[in-house]
Amino acid sequence: MASFFFFFPHTMKLPMFAAVFFAVLSLTAAASCSKPLYACDSSNSLTKTLPFCKTSLSIKKRAHDLVSRLTLNEKILQLVNTAPAIPRLGIPAYEWWSEALHGVANRHGIRLNGTIKAVTSFPQVILTAATFDADLWYRIAKAIGTEARAVYNVGQAKGLTFWAPNINVFRDPRWGRGQETPGEDPTVAGVYSVAYVRGIQGDSKKGGKLGNRLKASACCKHFTAYDLDRWNGITRYVFDAEVTMQDMADTYQPPFKNCVEKGRSSGIMCAYNKVNGVPSCADHHLLTATARREWKFNGYIVSDCDAVSLVHETHNYAKTPEDAVADVLRAGMDVNCGSYLKEHTESAVEKNVVAVTDIDRALHNLFSIRMRLGLFDGNPTKLPFGHIGPNQVCTREHQNLALQTARDGIVLLKNSANLLPLSKSKTRSLAVIGHNADNPIMLIGNYAGIPCKFVTPFQGLKSYVKETIYHKGCNWANCTDATVDEAVKIAKSVDYVVLVMGLDQTQEREDFDRTHLGLPGKQEKLIAEVAKAAKRPVVLVILSGGPVDISSAKYNEKVGSILWAGYPGQAGGTAIAEIIFGDHNPGGRLPVTWYPQNFIKVPMTDMRMRADSSSGYPGRTYRFYTGPKVYEFGYGLSYSNFLYKFTSVSENKLYLSHPTATQPAKNSDSVRYTLVSKLDKKFCESKAMNVTIGVRNEGEMAGKHSVLLFVKPKKPVNGSPLKQLVGFKKVEINAGDRSEVEFLLNPCEHASKANEEGLMVIDEGSYSLVVGDVERPFDIFV
C-alpha cells in the first residue's frame, strides 16, 4: 500500500513533535458519525421486506438477491475500496481499507477524532514475534478486534475490513517492511497468521466456534513472494519475482495456506509484483486454483493499492486498460484498492472483454463479507458485538498486554560479566544517550494509531534513577551530526550509561529498503567513544525492525550488554527500564537471522532460498544460509540459565511405508524418498512422534522461556533445509524449578521438504531433534 510517513524538522522539540504528529492525523480526519452505518434498517419500509435483508436466509442467497437488483453502473462502483452508497436500496457507503497491523490505525476507514481518540498501540509485529508465544499473539489480536468494533460502534469507522496481518517471509534483511512481519520462518509466520486471524475475527483460540459471523475481517497479505519495495532502482511496482517451485512450496506459500485453511481468514490481498512473469492480481492459478479451490478460501480478494493499473501500465502484461480489468476479474480478484476498475470496467464490458458474470461473482464475495460482519442485519449495536463501546478501548487489560508483549519480546543479545540487571539501590546516577531515547513516535513503527499513552526509554529509566541525564547524541537516526564530545563528557560523570540507538522509519519503511546493514552515520563512533569514556561498561539498546550488523559493539569489551527492542509500542520505555533494572527477566528470541554487512553483496532481487556453492550464493534465512552470522535465528539470552534434556521420545525409528503407496523413488543424490501426497492424513498422524523436553531454570531469577524444537537431517541433500522448526512453546519457570514441554512431531509436516517440482517429500535417512545445544537422533525409513 502507499507509503504513510511524516517527516519533521530535526530542530523540533519532542513534545511538540508528538503533538504535531497527532494534530496532522486529526486534521486529515473527516468529521465522524455519531452512529455506525448499516443497511436493512427495520424502520425503512422500502427495504426491510427485501430478501437480502432477511436474516432467515443464507448469506449466499441474500448476496445473490442483492447483486441481482443492481444496475451495471451500481455494480461497477462497488468494485473499488471506497464503495459509494446505493440510496434506493438503503445501502450505505463502505470503506474496505482500514489497517490494524499492531493496533487500530488512524487512517482511511478509521478516524480517532470523536468519542474515541486513542487506541492501544502494541509493539511492532517483529518484536511481538520475538516472544514466540502464540497464546499472546491471539490475545493481542482479540484486543485489536474489540477496539476495532468499539470504534465502529461509535460511528468512527467506515468499515470493518482490516488489511492485516502481513505474513510475507522476511527473506532479506534490507527489506523496509520486514518490521511488519513475524520474521523469516514460514512456520512461525503461519502460526502467527492463524492466531491473528482467529483473534481479530472473533473466533476461539483453537478455531471453529465463530461460524459464519465476523467480529472484524482480517486480510492476509501480500499474496505472494512479496518482499522487495525499493532497492537499487528496482521497485515493487515493476519487480518480477522469479521463484522456483521448490521455494514456493516450502517457503513463500505455507504462511498463506495456514492463514486460509487453519485461520479461516476472510480476506487476501494480492501483491504489486509479478511472480514468474504473471502479476499476482492477474494470476488465476494463484487466486482461484490455489486459494479458492485447493485451500477452500471463503472471502474476498483485494488488490494492493493501484496494483490493477500496473498490470497494464508498468508490467505491460495487458495490452489495454480493459484487458487489465478482464485479467484481474477472471483471475479471481474482487475489489480494487484504487479507482482503475471504476474508470475502465464499463468500457471493458462494452468491448466484450469482461463478462458481467465475473463482476457478479466479485460482488457476491464482497457483499457476503459485509453481511457476515452483520452490516445488513439492522442496527449493529443491537446485535452480537454491538455492546462493545469506548469503555473497552485503552483498558487496563489491553495496556498491560501491550507492556507484557514488549517485556517478553525484548531480546538480550549480550551480557558480559552479568552487567545487567543494574542495581536499583546502588545506581546513583545514569546517562541516557541516543536519538531514540526520548522520541515517542519511534516506539510505534509504521501503520500505527494514536496510542493511549507513551513511555519513552528515558522516561522509563528516569523512574528508577532520579539523577538521570538525557542527551540526544545524534541529530537523527542517520546521525550525520553527532555531539560526541558532549556525550563523552556526560558519560564520564555518571555511574552508568544506557545508549539507545538504532533505526527508525527514515531508515526502513514501506517503499524504502536499506542499502546497508550497519548502524547509520556516526552512530558506531558515538557508541565507541562513549563506551571508552564511561566509568563502567555501557548498556546498548537497539531499536530497529530489521537486523543490524553491530559486530563492533558485540566484540567491544566496554559494551557490556546489548538489548534489541524492535519498535516496542506505547509501553516500550517501561519494558526496557524494567529489564535493565531487573524487574523483568528477558526471554525474547530473534525471529530473524542477523547478517554481517557484506551480505549486501547478495542481490536483493535474487529470490532463491537455497544456497548454491557453485556460484558462491550463500542462501537465505537460518534454514538455508551457509555464511557467517552476527546472531542466529532464535538467539536470546536471559538472566537465568536454562538447561534442556530430552525426557522421552516415543520413537527412534519411523517407518513410513504406506501399504497402498507406490514404491519409494530415488532423487538425484540416490536418496530414497516418498511423496507426502501418497500418505493420507490418518497415516501421517499415526506415525507422529511424542517428544517431551525437560527444562530446568538453573538461575536465581524466575523467567519466561521459549523452547524451540528443530529437526535437522544428518546429511542435507537435494535442497534440504539445514534445519527447520517443528514448533515452539513458552514456559514460565521459577528459579531452581523444572518444567516439561511436549511436542508432537508429524513427519509429513515437520520432516518433509519440497523437491524441485514443488512436491512435498520425505527423505529416508538419519535426522536429529535439536533444542538448544542438545540433540537426539532418530531415523526415517521409507
Side-chain angles (χ1 to χ4, degrees):
M1 279 160 281
S3 295
F4 181 78
F5 187 76
F6 290 95
F7 292 90
F8 290 91
H10 303 328
T11 55
M12 186 176 290
K13 293 182 179 180
L14 290 171
M16 186 184 299
F17 180 97
V20 172
F21 178 83
F22 293 123
V24 170
L25 288 180
S26 297
L27 287 171
T28 60
S32 60
C33 304
S34 59
K35 63 180 180 179
L37 300 174
Y38 58 91
C40 301
D41 189 338
S42 59
S43 64
N44 188 333
S45 59
L46 178 66
T47 62
K48 68 179 181 180
T49 59
L50 295 176
F52 71 77
C53 287
K54 293 183 177 179
T55 57
S56 59
L57 297 178
S58 69
I59 285 179
K60 181 178 180 180
K61 289 182 178 179
R62 295 172 69 192
H64 179 80
D65 176 74
L66 192 161
V67 173
S68 71
R69 298 175 183 276
L70 302 180
T71 66
L72 177 60
N73 183 60
E74 287 172 335
K75 289 178 179 180
I76 290 171
L77 293 177
Q78 294 296 311
L79 294 174
V80 294
N81 64 286
T82 303
I86 309 173
R88 68 183 185 86
L89 295 177
I91 298 173
Y94 187 82
E95 176 56 66
W96 288 90
W97 187 358
S98 293
E99 302 283 356
L101 183 68
H102 54 108
V104 178
N106 188 45
R107 55 191 298 187
H108 306 297
I110 302 293
R111 298 296 179 234
L112 301 178
N113 63 341
T115 305
I116 297 174
K117 292 181 170 59
V119 292
T120 309
S121 185
F122 295 94
Q124 181 62 290
V125 178
I126 194 68
L127 186 69
T128 296
T131 66
F132 283 91
D133 188 341
D135 177 70
L136 181 66
W137 301 343
Y138 170 80
R139 289 190 286 136
I140 291 169
K142 185 177 179 182
I144 294 171
T146 296
E147 296 198 354
R149 262 290 172 169
V151 173
Y152 175 80
N153 285 345
V154 297
Q156 292 177 229
K158 298 177 182 178
L160 281 166
T161 37
F162 294 89
W163 293 352
N166 181 343
I167 54 170
N168 295 115
V169 169
F170 196 168
R171 171 189 63 96
D172 191 290
R174 291 162 286 191
W175 187 30
R177 301 188 73 179
Q179 60 180 293
E180 302 174 24
T181 76
E184 70 181 36
D185 183 78
T187 296
V188 174
V191 173
Y192 180 86
S193 73
V194 172
Y196 181 95
V197 170
R198 287 175 178 171
I200 197 170
Q201 291 191 167
D203 205 350
S204 64
K205 184 166 60 176
K206 294 185 177 180
K209 292 188 177 181
L210 181 62
N212 213 24
R213 296 292 178 179
L214 297 169
K215 183 179 185 180
S217 171
C219 178
C220 288
K221 64 185 185 184
H222 309 81
F223 198 38
T224 191
Y226 165 73
D227 50 16
L228 178 151
D229 272 61
R230 186 177 297 272
W231 174 83
N232 201 28
I234 300 169
T235 72
R236 56 185 176 171
Y237 311 114
V238 299
F239 181 50
D240 185 3
E242 296 181 4
V243 182
T244 66
M245 291 186 288
Q246 190 173 31
D247 289 337
M248 187 68 81
D250 68 6
T251 296
Y252 294 106
Q253 293 293 67
F256 291 96
K257 188 173 189 288
N258 276 281
C259 177
V260 171
E261 290 188 337
K262 295 181 180 179
R264 298 317 225 176
S265 178
S266 52
I268 291 175
M269 175 182 285
C270 51
Y272 285 117
N273 55 286
K274 289 191 288 188
V275 179
N276 299 327
V278 183
S280 295
C281 293
D283 192 335
H284 183 274
H285 175 75
L286 185 67
L287 305 187
T288 297
T290 300
R292 290 200 185 277
R293 293 176 185 166
E294 182 183 341
W295 299 343
K296 310 301 181 188
F297 173 62
N298 176 29
Y300 77 102
I301 299 177
V302 61
S303 76
D304 208 335
C305 294
D306 294 321
V308 177
S309 67
L310 306 182
V311 175
H312 166 61
E313 294 174 3
T314 62
H315 292 312
N316 298 314
Y317 183 79
K319 292 182 179 180
T320 67
E322 291 79 12
D323 288 334
V325 171
D327 287 340
V328 298
L329 288 174
R330 282 199 295 260
M333 194 201 78
D334 300 311
V335 60
N336 166 209
C337 178
S339 59
Y340 209 73
L341 289 189
K342 181 170 67 174
E343 295 164 358
H344 300 291
T345 302
E346 184 175 4
S347 60
V349 172
E350 291 172 352
K351 293 178 181 180
N352 292 319
V353 295
V354 166
V356 175
T357 53
D358 286 328
I359 297 173
D360 289 350
R361 183 223 70 241
L363 294 177
H364 286 149
N365 292 331
L366 295 174
F367 282 112
S368 292
I369 292 297
R370 291 170 67 175
M371 289 175 180
R372 290 172 64 187
L373 287 163
L375 307 187
F376 282 76
D377 296 349
N379 189 343
T381 61
K382 298 179 180 179
L383 300 170
F385 310 122
H387 64 284
I388 300 173
N391 64 336
Q392 295 189 50
V393 178
C394 285
T395 62
R396 183 180 298 275
E397 178 187 0
H398 290 178
Q399 293 195 62
N400 286 342
L401 189 60
L403 174 58
Q404 179 191 342
T405 306
R407 287 170 177 154
D408 292 354
I410 291 171
V411 182
L412 179 63
L413 297 174
K414 178 182 179 180
N415 198 26
S416 299
N418 295 321
L419 173 64
L420 294 181
L422 299 182
S423 170
K424 285 178 277 189
S425 61
K426 296 179 181 179
T427 304
R428 304 297 183 187
S429 59
L430 184 70
V432 182
I433 299 172
H435 59 282
N436 279 335
D438 200 30
N439 188 340
I441 304 305
M442 295 310 119
L443 295 173
I444 58 178
N446 65 356
Y447 284 95
I450 300 174
C452 315
K453 62 180 182 181
F454 274 124
V455 179
T456 68
F458 168 65
Q459 291 168 337
L461 291 165
K462 188 173 177 60
S463 70
Y464 281 88
V465 181
K466 185 177 181 180
E467 190 180 329
T468 297
I469 305 168
Y470 165 66
H471 180 66
K472 191 172 183 181
C474 287
N475 58 330
W476 205 247
N478 61 6
C479 203
T480 55
D481 182 23
T483 52
V484 176
D485 292 342
E486 189 175 349
V488 164
K489 183 179 179 181
I490 293 170
K492 290 178 177 179
S493 69
V494 296
D495 290 343
Y496 289 98
V497 176
V498 177
L499 288 145
V500 188
M501 311 299 290
L503 310 179
D504 63 18
Q505 300 305 300
T506 67
Q507 303 298 306
E508 54 176 354
R509 64 181 184 275
E510 184 171 2
D511 208 24
F512 190 90
D513 300 321
R514 286 189 286 163
T515 57
H516 59 85
L517 296 178
L519 289 168
K522 298 178 181 178
Q523 285 196 44
E524 283 193 9
K525 179 181 179 181
L526 178 67
I527 293 168
E529 292 298 321
V530 168
K532 182 180 178 180
K535 297 176 182 178
R536 299 176 180 86
V538 302
V539 178
L540 173 62
V541 179
I542 298 294
L543 298 188
S544 72
V548 183
D549 184 350
I550 53 171
S551 298
S552 60
K554 178 181 179 180
Y555 297 111
N556 186 339
E557 293 182 357
K558 290 287 287 178
V559 178
S561 299
I562 304 175
L563 292 167
W564 174 70
Y567 296 118
Q570 66 175 50
T574 300
I576 290 168
E578 287 181 347
I579 288 172
I580 287 175
F581 282 98
D583 283 335
H584 186 79
N585 192 350
R589 290 173 172 266
L590 293 178
V592 289
T593 301
W594 282 36
Y595 301 84
Q597 167 65 16
N598 64 8
F599 186 83
I600 65 172
K601 295 177 182 178
V602 177
M604 197 171 173
T605 49
D606 195 326
M607 301 294 290
R608 290 177 296 165
M609 299 300 300
R610 288 154 166 88
D612 180 3
S613 58
S614 65
S615 64
Y617 182 69
R620 295 177 181 276
T621 75
Y622 81 93
R623 295 163 65 229
F624 303 106
Y625 177 63
T626 56
K629 310 174 186 72
V630 179
Y631 292 107
E632 65 181 1
F633 172 90
Y635 181 82
L637 303 175
S638 169
Y639 296 153
S640 297
N641 182 33
F642 294 91
L643 300 181
Y644 301 117
K645 181 180 181 181
F646 283 99
T647 304
S648 67
V649 178
S650 62
E651 301 289 341
N652 291 322
K653 300 180 187 296
L654 291 178
Y655 295 91
L656 302 181
S657 177
H658 195 285
T660 62
T662 57
Q663 283 293 105
K666 289 187 177 182
N667 60 30
S668 58
D669 294 296
S670 298
V671 174
R672 284 159 54 97
Y673 70 88
T674 186
L675 288 167
V676 173
S677 60
K678 301 295 184 182
L679 308 175
D680 60 69
K681 183 178 179 181
K682 287 186 178 180
F683 178 82
C684 290
E685 291 174 348
S686 72
K687 297 296 181 179
M689 294 169 54
N690 292 295
V691 180
T692 304
I693 299 168
V695 187
R696 180 177 293 279
N697 183 347
E698 293 287 330
E700 299 179 355
M701 190 173 181
K704 294 179 181 178
H705 186 69
S706 295
V707 181
L708 277 59
L709 177 65
F710 298 89
V711 62
K712 72 173 185 178
K714 185 176 181 180
K715 294 181 179 180
V717 294
N718 201 35
S720 297
L722 302 175
K723 66 177 181 178
Q724 58 188 5
L725 191 64
V726 173
F728 52 92
K729 293 189 177 179
K730 195 88 168 184
V731 291
E732 187 167 4
I733 309 176
N734 290 327
D737 282 358
R738 180 180 178 277
S739 182
E740 289 194 341
V741 182
E742 296 181 351
F743 292 92
L744 188 67
L745 186 151
N746 184 321
C748 300
E749 294 181 22
H750 304 125
S752 62
K753 67 174 186 185
N755 67 11
E756 292 178 353
E757 289 75 43
L759 302 174
M760 300 306 293
V761 300
I762 303 173
D763 287 341
E764 183 173 88
S766 296
Y767 294 78
S768 289
L769 297 169
V770 182
V771 57
D773 57 1
V774 181
E775 297 189 15
R776 174 71 176 263
F778 70 98
D779 297 311
I780 293 179
F781 300 93
V782 299

